[in-house]
Amino acid sequence: MPRLADPDPNAIPADVRDFLSALPPDPMVKMLTHSIGTVKLFIQLARAQFASLELPARSRELVILTVAEYTECEFEAAQHRPMSEAAGVDRATREIITSRDIDSPHLSAYDRTLIRFAAEVVRSPRIPDDLFDQVRQILSEREIVEVLQVIGYYWSFGRVATVLAVELTTVYGDEPPLAGETERAD
């Protein structure tokens, strides 16, 4: 059971209500609506991470699944399993992330470095130089910053979901709708 009740719809300003009305009903969006000053920005940032990154979708999903695992957020993991599959992350790789076997020889060197980096960022504020040097070999400077932003966004998302016990009621496929789109027909 969620730790906070749904926000009072009458307390939501019209512009926020209009923005949210274009989204599929979702318990996480309801929870985020308690912060009427940031809910639109939080959702817009999520959309940007699906539409405006140089980082490939598959890499983004590896990062998100890793963050979900290391923040112990089943809500996030459940939402992103189908999205990661659509982005080309195979079941074996998802299972390796879930088992936290991030040094697995079954991972490609790229995947192993990216997953280790994401896990280390979640666990610690400092990254060892050798790991950062490996990341610099596989990602551009822009992609490194984008990975850090994706980690930060999904760490925050995960904490809202776990601390406030947001119930998982809907699992979406592929990717969330972009600006101007309405609910997907999955």
Side-chain angles (χ1 to χ4, degrees):
M1 174 169 231
R3 294 173 111 178
L4 298 178
D6 288 349
D8 177 2
N10 297 320
I12 302 171
D15 65 315
V16 175
R17 215 174 25 251
D18 290 345
F19 177 82
L20 297 175
S21 71
L23 300 173
D26 183 87
M28 186 63 154
V29 171
K30 281 184 184 176
M31 195 62 71
L32 292 169
T33 303
H34 280 288
S35 176
I36 58 174
T38 63
V39 65
K40 284 173 54 175
L41 297 170
F42 199 79
I43 292 167
Q44 288 167 336
L45 181 55
R47 288 176 170 168
Q49 292 177 354
F50 282 85
S52 302
L53 298 184
E54 183 175 285
L55 186 71
R58 184 180 182 284
S59 298
R60 179 196 66 226
E61 292 301 321
L62 288 172
V63 169
I64 294 168
L65 290 175
T66 303
V67 172
E69 176 58 34
Y70 284 83
T71 59
E72 300 179 22
C73 184
E74 180 53 32
F75 186 103
E76 196 169 81
Q79 291 290 351
H80 281 273
R81 281 185 202 109
M83 291 182 211
S84 68
E85 185 174 4
V89 178
D90 62 57
R91 181 183 186 141
T93 301
R94 290 192 305 273
E95 289 173 358
I96 289 169
I97 292 169
T98 302
S99 70
R100 297 186 182 199
D101 185 16
I102 60 178
D103 292 318
S104 171
H106 299 290
L107 293 171
S108 70
Y110 177 94
D111 288 0
R112 189 170 34 258
T113 299
L114 184 59
I115 292 166
R116 284 182 60 227
F117 181 64
E120 191 64 27
V121 169
V122 171
R123 291 189 300 221
S124 174
R126 303 281 184 265
I127 303 305
D129 289 340
D130 63 323
L131 178 55
F132 192 75
D133 291 343
Q134 292 171 24
V135 170
R136 288 186 65 104
Q137 291 175 19
I138 66 165
L139 299 175
S140 70
E141 290 178 354
R142 175 180 171 172
E143 289 172 321
I144 291 169
V145 172
E146 289 174 350
V147 165
L148 290 168
Q149 290 174 334
V150 169
I151 292 167
Y153 178 88
Y154 282 94
W155 184 92
S156 176
F157 184 102
R159 286 300 176 249
V160 170
T162 56
V163 171
L164 299 179
V166 177
E167 293 177 322
L168 178 62
T169 59
T170 304
V171 174
Y172 299 106
D174 293 341
E175 298 183 353
L178 299 175
E181 291 183 10
T182 56
E183 185 174 353
R184 290 182 318 276
D186 286 343

